[in-house]
Amino acid sequence: MTRIQAIRGTKDLLGDELARWRFLEETVRAVAERSGYEEIRTPIFESTDLFSRSIGTDTDIVQKEMYTFPDRKGRSLTLRPEGTASVVRAFLENHLARERPIAKVYYIGPMFRYERPQKGRFRQFHQFGTEVLGPEDAFYDAETIAVFHSILGSVGLGDLTVRLGSVGDESCRPAYVERLSAYLRGRREDLSEISRERLERNPLRVLDSKEEEDRAVVREAPSILEDLCDSCAKHLDEVRRALDRAGIPHALDAGLVRGLDYYTRTVFEIHHDRLGAQSALGGGGRYDRLAEDLGGPRTPGVGFSAGMERIVSVAEELAIRWEMPRELRILVAPLSERASEEVLPILLRLRARWRADGSARPRNLKTVLKQANREGAGLLLLLGGEESAPGSALVKRLDSGEQENILLDRLEERIEEIASRIAAPGAARKE
Ligand code: AMP
């Protein structure tokens, strides 16, 4: 029979690689929570309308990349391709605005897009991100960028480029879209087929085309930064000044448009040189109209989302070591058949305080030592050996080889004492 394999564009996480992911996740939680964000977990699938109405029907995501399927009653569902739409839906549905004027949340989880798998692009990938719902102040745009920046800094990534732009709002964007359309119509012959179609319905989407042929046309397109109304220009200026004061270098990028329709005003991306073509670690921006587009009251918002696969891969390429502080591991091994019966009760006692594992059957000391080393155990507890009296065990430190007989009656007390003398193994470090 043919063996069943994982779906193209997905992958299993295990072993050392998973340890790196957990380190990244812990860092995200720590930085986000210290910055006043609370975790939110929304469902993996939602009704398809949520995404087509927020991300926009003319975007690549909605047109080509969503995993959409009918459920058994024929309702159209979609595996979430991004996090923001769900967060805003949850904010409205759970009446979070009643509880607080400003909601600050973060999320970590899998997202799904039917894209061509390649380096840095998967069909199930993972993002973390934050959203601030309620305020319009540039302070929160800058804070969002700063939180993303400090998460990257906390996992050892430097050499970051923050690209910042603005897509204006409903008062200045229409005039720009007119100017852009006129320009694009003039270059219609040079555009790809899909861009020619979009030119009629949603010319802004031509700017984030992934088609090779569109590159030159997009590069020479007029910039929205020159068309911003006074209040959008002032907002952008405030974001820039706040970033300057916070010591976060950034570059204005007139061509920055992101592949989703819901953005207003601020848009940004953080890039790392090491990533080559797919150089964005993540990005985000402000979406002051999104809550209304989803049927709620006007609720300004700003957020970012970052790709975890890309962050892990840059850290790997730069050989940055990510390690969690390791807790003491104890291995319990019976050396006789009789002693095997004591293994589980002793493990349960030890597990109340430490990480402990044991073997079911007696084996020779050499095999046990090999296993202890392989698993990175700090202490070995040998039961039923010739050297230990009944009702006692031989405890061996694996770092120094020191050993002593301890009475099982005083197991926890003695191990506490011995453990306090073992240096904390593998504290978090970067090399
Ligand atoms: P976006 O929501 O498209 O702005 O994506 C934000 C970030 O998520 C990107 O900068 C990438 O780091 C990551 N990302 C987006 N799509 C994928 C994908 N298909 N595979 C891996 N990472 C992705």
Side-chain angles (χ1 to χ4, degrees):
M1 257 201 287
T2 52
R3 220 178 43 218
I4 296 177
Q5 295 193 316
I7 305 295
R8 204 162 108 84
T10 70
K11 73 186 217 162
D12 303 308
L13 291 174
L14 47 130
D16 287 349
E17 187 172 16
L18 185 60
R20 284 192 283 279
W21 278 71
R22 288 177 54 156
F23 179 81
L24 175 58
E25 285 166 10
E26 293 299 320
T27 309
V28 170
R29 288 180 199 290
V31 177
E33 286 173 19
R34 259 186 270 140
S35 312
Y37 293 76
E38 275 176 39
E39 188 176 6
I40 183 165
R41 298 189 192 189
T42 61
I44 302 281
F45 56 88
E46 301 263 7
S47 76
T48 302
D49 289 348
L50 173 67
F51 303 114
S52 41
R53 256 158 73 183
S54 56
I55 298 169
T57 44
D58 294 318
T59 56
D60 275 353
I61 297 182
V62 171
Q63 280 187 344
K64 304 194 281 194
E65 296 171 0
M66 294 206 304
Y67 278 91
T68 296
F69 54 94
D71 74 0
R72 288 180 184 274
K73 292 234 164 96
R75 289 168 291 223
S76 181
L77 304 183
T78 293
L79 297 184
R80 64 181 186 194
E82 60 105 46
T84 304
S86 306
V87 170
V88 174
R89 181 203 48 70
F91 171 87
L92 297 171
E93 200 162 325
N94 295 286
H95 307 291
L96 293 187
R98 272 193 218 149
E99 288 165 29
R100 54 202 128 181
I102 297 176
K104 291 171 65 172
V105 296
Y106 75 93
Y107 59 84
I108 305 179
M111 307 293 162
F112 306 85
R113 291 184 198 172
Y114 193 85
E115 291 188 87
R116 201 165 61 77
Q118 52 187 292
K119 186 173 182 285
R121 270 201 194 289
F122 298 88
R123 289 183 172 168
Q124 172 169 335
F125 61 101
H126 299 76
Q127 288 184 333
F128 61 82
T130 64
E131 313 291 350
V132 181
L133 287 153
E136 223 168 329
D137 313 60
F139 172 92
Y140 293 99
D141 306 53
E143 186 191 53
T144 296
I145 296 172
V147 167
F148 185 10
H149 201 263
S150 43
I151 290 172
L152 297 173
S154 300
V155 298
L157 293 188
D159 299 328
L160 303 168
T161 312
V162 178
R163 295 189 192 162
L164 181 69
S166 173
V167 292
D169 66 7
E170 60 271 28
S171 68
C172 51
R173 201 179 323 177
Y176 169 70
V177 170
E178 274 303 306
R179 195 153 75 96
L180 178 66
S181 302
Y183 163 80
L184 292 174
R185 268 190 230 111
R187 307 242 355 219
R188 202 167 191 287
E189 296 314 307
D190 303 329
L191 288 172
S192 65
E193 202 180 311
I194 183 157
S195 289
R196 270 183 243 157
E197 278 168 33
R198 284 183 181 167
L199 164 56
E200 303 311 325
R201 289 197 311 268
N202 193 343
L204 272 179
R205 290 276 68 87
V206 175
L207 296 181
D208 57 39
S209 158
K210 288 183 192 139
E211 309 296 315
E212 192 63 42
E213 339 158 38
D214 296 331
R215 290 256 166 88
V217 183
V218 168
R219 216 177 17 246
E220 290 153 28
S223 150
I224 190 169
L225 294 183
E226 292 148 24
D227 283 346
L228 292 181
C229 58
D230 288 349
S231 60
C232 286
K234 181 163 166 277
H235 195 270
L236 177 61
D237 197 48
E238 283 168 5
V239 176
R240 300 194 65 193
R241 280 190 292 137
L243 289 174
D244 283 338
R245 281 194 296 271
I248 299 174
H250 55 276
L252 261 198
D253 184 341
L256 192 62
V257 272
R258 303 194 19 84
L260 309 95
D261 273 354
Y262 55 60
Y263 288 113
T264 49
R265 294 191 165 168
T266 312
V267 285
F268 62 86
E269 284 179 353
I270 300 189
H271 290 250
H272 197 284
D273 305 342
R274 273 290 173 132
L275 279 169
Q278 315 287 350
S279 74
L281 295 174
R286 178 162 280 289
Y287 44 84
D288 292 344
R289 306 246 334 249
L290 179 53
E292 283 160 277
D293 290 344
L294 296 178
R298 180 181 158 81
T299 314
V302 60
F304 79 87
S305 66
M308 297 178 64
E309 280 77 3
R310 297 203 190 160
I311 295 173
V312 171
S313 103
V314 178
E316 267 167 11
E317 274 178 44
L318 297 175
I320 299 173
R321 293 276 298 270
W322 288 351
E323 278 180 39
M324 303 284 278
R326 281 258 304 276
E327 53 180 338
L328 178 67
R329 296 183 182 193
I330 306 172
L331 182 65
V332 177
L335 297 174
S336 70
E337 286 294 342
R338 280 262 320 268
S340 307
E341 295 170 9
E342 293 172 52
V343 172
L344 190 57
I346 287 181
L347 281 178
L348 296 179
R349 276 171 67 183
L350 291 172
R351 285 173 183 169
R353 296 202 205 170
W354 300 282
R355 177 165 168 163
D357 215 338
S359 39
R361 296 203 192 138
R363 283 169 312 164
N364 67 43
L365 189 58
K366 211 170 132 201
T367 317
V368 171
L369 281 170
K370 250 200 211 153
Q371 182 191 354
N373 281 321
R374 192 176 58 236
E375 291 178 4
L379 283 182
L380 187 58
L381 201 91
L382 296 165
L383 296 170
E386 284 165 13
E387 292 172 63
S388 36
S392 72
L394 190 70
V395 178
K396 193 178 174 67
R397 269 178 69 167
L398 282 137
D399 55 348
S400 63
E402 272 173 77
Q403 55 184 46
E404 66 175 272
N405 249 303
I406 61 171
L407 282 174
L408 291 177
D409 285 350
R410 301 181 57 199
L411 183 68
E412 289 85 352
E413 190 188 322
R414 288 303 302 147
I415 290 190
E416 191 80 66
E417 221 287 302
I418 298 167
S420 70
R421 285 186 269 128
I422 302 180
R429 65 190 159 139
K430 287 176 211 130
E431 281 174 2

PDB file of all heavy atoms in Angstrom, residues 95-114:
ATOM      1  N   HIS A  95     -18.505  41.990  22.656  1.00  0.00           N
ATOM      2  CA  HIS A  95     -18.741  43.322  23.225  1.00  0.00           C
ATOM      3  C   HIS A  95     -17.567  43.800  24.075  1.00  0.00           C
ATOM      4  O   HIS A  95     -17.747  44.304  25.169  1.00  0.00           O
ATOM      5  CB  HIS A  95     -20.011  43.327  24.081  1.00  0.00           C
ATOM      6  CG  HIS A  95     -21.191  42.790  23.341  1.00  0.00           C
ATOM      7  ND1 HIS A  95     -21.771  43.464  22.295  1.00  0.00           N
ATOM      8  CD2 HIS A  95     -21.874  41.632  23.474  1.00  0.00           C
ATOM      9  CE1 HIS A  95     -22.770  42.746  21.816  1.00  0.00           C
ATOM     10  NE2 HIS A  95     -22.857  41.630  22.510  1.00  0.00           N
ATOM     11  N   LEU A  96     -16.357  43.585  23.582  1.00  0.00           N
ATOM     12  CA  LEU A  96     -15.190  43.959  24.384  1.00  0.00           C
ATOM     13  C   LEU A  96     -15.124  45.465  24.624  1.00  0.00           C
ATOM     14  O   LEU A  96     -14.564  45.904  25.622  1.00  0.00           O
ATOM     15  CB  LEU A  96     -13.901  43.469  23.729  1.00  0.00           C
ATOM     16  CG  LEU A  96     -13.743  41.949  23.684  1.00  0.00           C
ATOM     17  CD1 LEU A  96     -12.360  41.559  23.186  1.00  0.00           C
ATOM     18  CD2 LEU A  96     -13.985  41.318  25.058  1.00  0.00           C
ATOM     19  N   ALA A  97     -15.727  46.239  23.731  1.00  0.00           N
ATOM     20  CA  ALA A  97     -15.664  47.696  23.891  1.00  0.00           C
ATOM     21  C   ALA A  97     -16.393  48.140  25.162  1.00  0.00           C
ATOM     22  O   ALA A  97     -16.059  49.179  25.726  1.00  0.00           O
ATOM     23  CB  ALA A  97     -16.272  48.371  22.666  1.00  0.00           C
ATOM     24  N   ARG A  98     -17.356  47.324  25.603  1.00  0.00           N
ATOM     25  CA  ARG A  98     -18.078  47.701  26.829  1.00  0.00           C
ATOM     26  C   ARG A  98     -17.176  47.627  28.052  1.00  0.00           C
ATOM     27  O   ARG A  98     -17.341  48.347  29.010  1.00  0.00           O
ATOM     28  CB  ARG A  98     -19.218  46.715  27.068  1.00  0.00           C
ATOM     29  CG  ARG A  98     -20.473  47.117  26.373  1.00  0.00           C
ATOM     30  CD  ARG A  98     -21.593  46.267  26.937  1.00  0.00           C
ATOM     31  NE  ARG A  98     -22.504  45.924  25.880  1.00  0.00           N
ATOM     32  CZ  ARG A  98     -23.217  44.811  25.817  1.00  0.00           C
ATOM     33  NH1 ARG A  98     -23.104  43.888  26.764  1.00  0.00           N
ATOM     34  NH2 ARG A  98     -24.040  44.604  24.839  1.00  0.00           N
ATOM     35  N   GLU A  99     -16.246  46.662  28.012  1.00  0.00           N
ATOM     36  CA  GLU A  99     -15.396  46.446  29.181  1.00  0.00           C
ATOM     37  C   GLU A  99     -14.272  47.453  29.280  1.00  0.00           C
ATOM     38  O   GLU A  99     -13.805  47.770  30.351  1.00  0.00           O
ATOM     39  CB  GLU A  99     -14.761  45.055  29.120  1.00  0.00           C
ATOM     40  CG  GLU A  99     -15.765  43.954  29.377  1.00  0.00           C
ATOM     41  CD  GLU A  99     -15.204  42.603  28.946  1.00  0.00           C
ATOM     42  OE1 GLU A  99     -13.974  42.416  28.981  1.00  0.00           O
ATOM     43  OE2 GLU A  99     -16.027  41.758  28.547  1.00  0.00           O
ATOM     44  N   ARG A 100     -13.791  47.911  28.154  1.00  0.00           N
ATOM     45  CA  ARG A 100     -12.639  48.817  28.197  1.00  0.00           C
ATOM     46  C   ARG A 100     -12.621  49.677  26.933  1.00  0.00           C
ATOM     47  O   ARG A 100     -13.015  49.216  25.864  1.00  0.00           O
ATOM     48  CB  ARG A 100     -11.347  48.032  28.328  1.00  0.00           C
ATOM     49  CG  ARG A 100     -11.206  46.995  27.255  1.00  0.00           C
ATOM     50  CD  ARG A 100     -10.269  45.904  27.645  1.00  0.00           C
ATOM     51  NE  ARG A 100     -10.951  44.623  27.456  1.00  0.00           N
ATOM     52  CZ  ARG A 100     -10.414  43.464  27.717  1.00  0.00           C
ATOM     53  NH1 ARG A 100      -9.225  43.386  28.228  1.00  0.00           N
ATOM     54  NH2 ARG A 100     -11.072  42.354  27.479  1.00  0.00           N
ATOM     55  N   PRO A 101     -12.127  50.894  27.068  1.00  0.00           N
ATOM     56  CA  PRO A 101     -12.081  51.776  25.906  1.00  0.00           C
ATOM     57  C   PRO A 101     -11.023  51.341  24.897  1.00  0.00           C
ATOM     58  O   PRO A 101     -11.154  51.590  23.703  1.00  0.00           O
ATOM     59  CB  PRO A 101     -11.727  53.139  26.500  1.00  0.00           C
ATOM     60  CG  PRO A 101     -11.109  52.859  27.826  1.00  0.00           C
ATOM     61  CD  PRO A 101     -11.663  51.554  28.301  1.00  0.00           C
ATOM     62  N   ILE A 102      -9.975  50.676  25.402  1.00  0.00           N
ATOM     63  CA  ILE A 102      -8.903  50.230  24.510  1.00  0.00           C
ATOM     64  C   ILE A 102      -8.671  48.745  24.745  1.00  0.00           C
ATOM     65  O   ILE A 102      -8.418  48.335  25.878  1.00  0.00           O
ATOM     66  CB  ILE A 102      -7.594  50.997  24.803  1.00  0.00           C
ATOM     67  CG1 ILE A 102      -7.799  52.484  24.511  1.00  0.00           C
ATOM     68  CG2 ILE A 102      -6.438  50.443  23.982  1.00  0.00           C
ATOM     69  CD1 ILE A 102      -6.598  53.329  24.858  1.00  0.00           C
ATOM     70  N   ALA A 103      -8.788  47.935  23.701  1.00  0.00           N
ATOM     71  CA  ALA A 103      -8.499  46.507  23.854  1.00  0.00           C
ATOM     72  C   ALA A 103      -7.165  46.219  23.183  1.00  0.00           C
ATOM     73  O   ALA A 103      -6.948  46.602  22.028  1.00  0.00           O
ATOM     74  CB  ALA A 103      -9.602  45.677  23.207  1.00  0.00           C
ATOM     75  N   LYS A 104      -6.265  45.578  23.937  1.00  0.00           N
ATOM     76  CA  LYS A 104      -4.962  45.212  23.362  1.00  0.00           C
ATOM     77  C   LYS A 104      -4.832  43.693  23.451  1.00  0.00           C
ATOM     78  O   LYS A 104      -4.829  43.145  24.552  1.00  0.00           O
ATOM     79  CB  LYS A 104      -3.826  45.883  24.149  1.00  0.00           C
ATOM     80  CG  LYS A 104      -3.787  47.408  23.963  1.00  0.00           C
ATOM     81  CD  LYS A 104      -2.810  48.090  24.907  1.00  0.00           C
ATOM     82  CE  LYS A 104      -1.376  47.729  24.657  1.00  0.00           C
ATOM     83  NZ  LYS A 104      -0.439  48.565  25.467  1.00  0.00           N
ATOM     84  N   VAL A 105      -4.761  43.034  22.312  1.00  0.00           N
ATOM     85  CA  VAL A 105      -4.689  41.569  22.334  1.00  0.00           C
ATOM     86  C   VAL A 105      -3.550  41.058  21.456  1.00  0.00           C
ATOM     87  O   VAL A 105      -3.079  41.757  20.552  1.00  0.00           O
ATOM     88  CB  VAL A 105      -6.012  40.915  21.848  1.00  0.00           C
ATOM     89  CG1 VAL A 105      -7.156  41.247  22.780  1.00  0.00           C
ATOM     90  CG2 VAL A 105      -6.349  41.340  20.426  1.00  0.00           C
ATOM     91  N   TYR A 106      -3.100  39.833  21.758  1.00  0.00           N
ATOM     92  CA  TYR A 106      -2.120  39.185  20.873  1.00  0.00           C
ATOM     93  C   TYR A 106      -2.584  37.766  20.597  1.00  0.00           C
ATOM     94  O   TYR A 106      -3.385  37.209  21.343  1.00  0.00           O
ATOM     95  CB  TYR A 106      -0.713  39.192  21.477  1.00  0.00           C
ATOM     96  CG  TYR A 106      -0.475  38.206  22.591  1.00  0.00           C
ATOM     97  CD1 TYR A 106       0.040  36.929  22.319  1.00  0.00           C
ATOM     98  CD2 TYR A 106      -0.752  38.525  23.917  1.00  0.00           C
ATOM     99  CE1 TYR A 106       0.273  36.021  23.339  1.00  0.00           C
ATOM    100  CE2 TYR A 106      -0.528  37.626  24.932  1.00  0.00           C
ATOM    101  CZ  TYR A 106      -0.014  36.363  24.644  1.00  0.00           C
ATOM    102  OH  TYR A 106       0.202  35.454  25.649  1.00  0.00           O
ATOM    103  N   TYR A 107      -2.099  37.211  19.475  1.00  0.00           N
ATOM    104  CA  TYR A 107      -2.455  35.836  19.118  1.00  0.00           C
ATOM    105  C   TYR A 107      -1.234  35.126  18.556  1.00  0.00           C
ATOM    106  O   TYR A 107      -0.287  35.763  18.084  1.00  0.00           O
ATOM    107  CB  TYR A 107      -3.598  35.812  18.080  1.00  0.00           C
ATOM    108  CG  TYR A 107      -3.251  36.534  16.788  1.00  0.00           C
ATOM    109  CD1 TYR A 107      -2.548  35.898  15.764  1.00  0.00           C
ATOM    110  CD2 TYR A 107      -3.594  37.871  16.612  1.00  0.00           C
ATOM    111  CE1 TYR A 107      -2.209  36.564  14.599  1.00  0.00           C
ATOM    112  CE2 TYR A 107      -3.263  38.545  15.443  1.00  0.00           C
ATOM    113  CZ  TYR A 107      -2.570  37.882  14.449  1.00  0.00           C
ATOM    114  OH  TYR A 107      -2.222  38.556  13.294  1.00  0.00           O
ATOM    115  N   ILE A 108      -1.274  33.812  18.633  1.00  0.00           N
ATOM    116  CA  ILE A 108      -0.247  32.967  18.013  1.00  0.00           C
ATOM    117  C   ILE A 108      -1.002  31.785  17.422  1.00  0.00           C
ATOM    118  O   ILE A 108      -1.814  31.191  18.129  1.00  0.00           O
ATOM    119  CB  ILE A 108       0.745  32.397  19.064  1.00  0.00           C
ATOM    120  CG1 ILE A 108       1.376  33.507  19.904  1.00  0.00           C
ATOM    121  CG2 ILE A 108       1.810  31.535  18.394  1.00  0.00           C
ATOM    122  CD1 ILE A 108       2.339  33.000  20.980  1.00  0.00           C
ATOM    123  N   GLY A 109      -0.753  31.435  16.171  1.00  0.00           N
ATOM    124  CA  GLY A 109      -1.457  30.256  15.666  1.00  0.00           C
ATOM    125  C   GLY A 109      -1.276  30.026  14.183  1.00  0.00           C
ATOM    126  O   GLY A 109      -0.682  30.842  13.473  1.00  0.00           O
ATOM    127  N   PRO A 110      -1.797  28.900  13.698  1.00  0.00           N
ATOM    128  CA  PRO A 110      -1.653  28.546  12.292  1.00  0.00           C
ATOM    129  C   PRO A 110      -2.593  29.321  11.379  1.00  0.00           C
ATOM    130  O   PRO A 110      -3.709  29.669  11.786  1.00  0.00           O
ATOM    131  CB  PRO A 110      -2.017  27.056  12.264  1.00  0.00           C
ATOM    132  CG  PRO A 110      -2.931  26.863  13.413  1.00  0.00           C
ATOM    133  CD  PRO A 110      -2.501  27.853  14.462  1.00  0.00           C
ATOM    134  N   MET A 111      -2.143  29.612  10.175  1.00  0.00           N
ATOM    135  CA  MET A 111      -2.931  30.280   9.134  1.00  0.00           C
ATOM    136  C   MET A 111      -2.781  29.426   7.870  1.00  0.00           C
ATOM    137  O   MET A 111      -1.813  28.659   7.760  1.00  0.00           O
ATOM    138  CB  MET A 111      -2.378  31.690   8.839  1.00  0.00           C
ATOM    139  CG  MET A 111      -2.226  32.591  10.047  1.00  0.00           C
ATOM    140  SD  MET A 111      -3.825  33.030  10.742  1.00  0.00           S
ATOM    141  CE  MET A 111      -3.322  33.601  12.381  1.00  0.00           C
ATOM    142  N   PHE A 112      -3.699  29.601   6.916  1.00  0.00           N
ATOM    143  CA  PHE A 112      -3.720  28.715   5.751  1.00  0.00           C
ATOM    144  C   PHE A 112      -3.891  29.516   4.466  1.00  0.00           C
ATOM    145  O   PHE A 112      -4.817  30.321   4.353  1.00  0.00           O
ATOM    146  CB  PHE A 112      -4.890  27.739   5.896  1.00  0.00           C
ATOM    147  CG  PHE A 112      -4.856  26.988   7.211  1.00  0.00           C
ATOM    148  CD1 PHE A 112      -5.410  27.557   8.359  1.00  0.00           C
ATOM    149  CD2 PHE A 112      -4.244  25.753   7.306  1.00  0.00           C
ATOM    150  CE1 PHE A 112      -5.350  26.905   9.582  1.00  0.00           C
ATOM    151  CE2 PHE A 112      -4.189  25.080   8.523  1.00  0.00           C
ATOM    152  CZ  PHE A 112      -4.748  25.655   9.663  1.00  0.00           C
ATOM    153  N   ARG A 113      -2.964  29.312   3.540  1.00  0.00           N
ATOM    154  CA  ARG A 113      -3.107  29.963   2.234  1.00  0.00           C
ATOM    155  C   ARG A 113      -2.636  28.998   1.159  1.00  0.00           C
ATOM    156  O   ARG A 113      -1.572  28.389   1.308  1.00  0.00           O
ATOM    157  CB  ARG A 113      -2.262  31.249   2.151  1.00  0.00           C
ATOM    158  CG  ARG A 113      -2.777  32.354   3.038  1.00  0.00           C
ATOM    159  CD  ARG A 113      -1.984  33.644   2.860  1.00  0.00           C
ATOM    160  NE  ARG A 113      -2.207  34.517   3.993  1.00  0.00           N
ATOM    161  CZ  ARG A 113      -1.551  35.656   4.219  1.00  0.00           C
ATOM    162  NH1 ARG A 113      -0.629  36.051   3.367  1.00  0.00           N
ATOM    163  NH2 ARG A 113      -1.810  36.379   5.281  1.00  0.00           N
ATOM    164  N   TYR A 114      -3.415  28.913   0.081  1.00  0.00           N
ATOM    165  CA  TYR A 114      -3.037  28.039  -1.013  1.00  0.00           C
ATOM    166  C   TYR A 114      -2.087  28.795  -1.923  1.00  0.00           C
ATOM    167  O   TYR A 114      -2.490  29.412  -2.903  1.00  0.00           O
ATOM    168  CB  TYR A 114      -4.292  27.588  -1.770  1.00  0.00           C
ATOM    169  CG  TYR A 114      -4.032  26.454  -2.699  1.00  0.00           C
ATOM    170  CD1 TYR A 114      -4.060  25.151  -2.236  1.00  0.00           C
ATOM    171  CD2 TYR A 114      -3.733  26.684  -4.031  1.00  0.00           C
ATOM    172  CE1 TYR A 114      -3.803  24.095  -3.084  1.00  0.00           C
ATOM    173  CE2 TYR A 114      -3.474  25.634  -4.888  1.00  0.00           C
ATOM    174  CZ  TYR A 114      -3.510  24.342  -4.409  1.00  0.00           C
ATOM    175  OH  TYR A 114      -3.249  23.298  -5.251  1.00  0.00           O
TER     176      TYR A 114
END
